[in-house]
Amino acid sequence: MSKRDYGELTELEKAFIRKAYESKIVSEMSHLRNAVLNAVNNAMRKKGKKFQELFKKKQAKADKDYNENAIAIIHEIEAKEGKSWVDKVYQGAGLRKTKQKEGE
């Protein structure tokens, strides 16, 4: 944006630009402060204490279409072959199937 373009803006538009710039600076400073605080805490942590990550890992969002298609396929397989595939999964994983309570 040139000086001439900036001069043509209204006072309200200029105020929005200043506010956006202020928000950007505050956000950057907050990230910097968090990074420094985290680094100092990690450097001064007790021996054997777990390292603290700066950013927590977020779980990826599930693909709704994929899950719906997978459930439809599972229902088709169950209709044709029954639930024997569940036993195969447990056997392949080396797990034992839990016994269900009566009435379930």
Side-chain angles (χ1 to χ4, degrees), residues 13-90:
E13 292 170 330
K14 290 178 184 178
F16 278 121
I17 291 172
R18 284 191 291 270
K19 182 62 178 173
Y21 180 72
E22 178 185 336
S23 297
K24 176 184 172 265
I25 295 296
V26 168
S27 177
E28 288 175 354
M29 290 300 116
S30 294
H31 286 300
L32 181 63
R33 181 204 52 168
N34 290 342
V36 170
L37 181 63
N38 192 18
V40 170
N41 285 340
N42 283 332
M44 299 181 73
R45 72 184 192 277
K46 291 185 179 181
K47 192 173 187 178
K49 192 172 180 184
K50 189 176 177 183
F51 184 80
Q52 220 173 12
E53 295 291 332
L54 178 59
F55 297 108
K56 305 266 189 269
K57 293 183 181 177
K58 291 183 180 179
Q59 185 175 2
K61 295 200 178 203
D63 184 3
K64 216 174 190 182
D65 294 332
Y66 175 81
N67 288 342
E68 289 173 356
N69 290 338
I71 290 171
I73 291 170
I74 289 170
H75 286 302
E76 288 176 20
I77 293 171
E78 285 180 355
K80 291 178 187 173
E81 302 173 15
K83 293 197 177 208
S84 63
W85 66 272
V86 176
D87 297 327
K88 291 177 185 175
V89 169
Y90 274 93

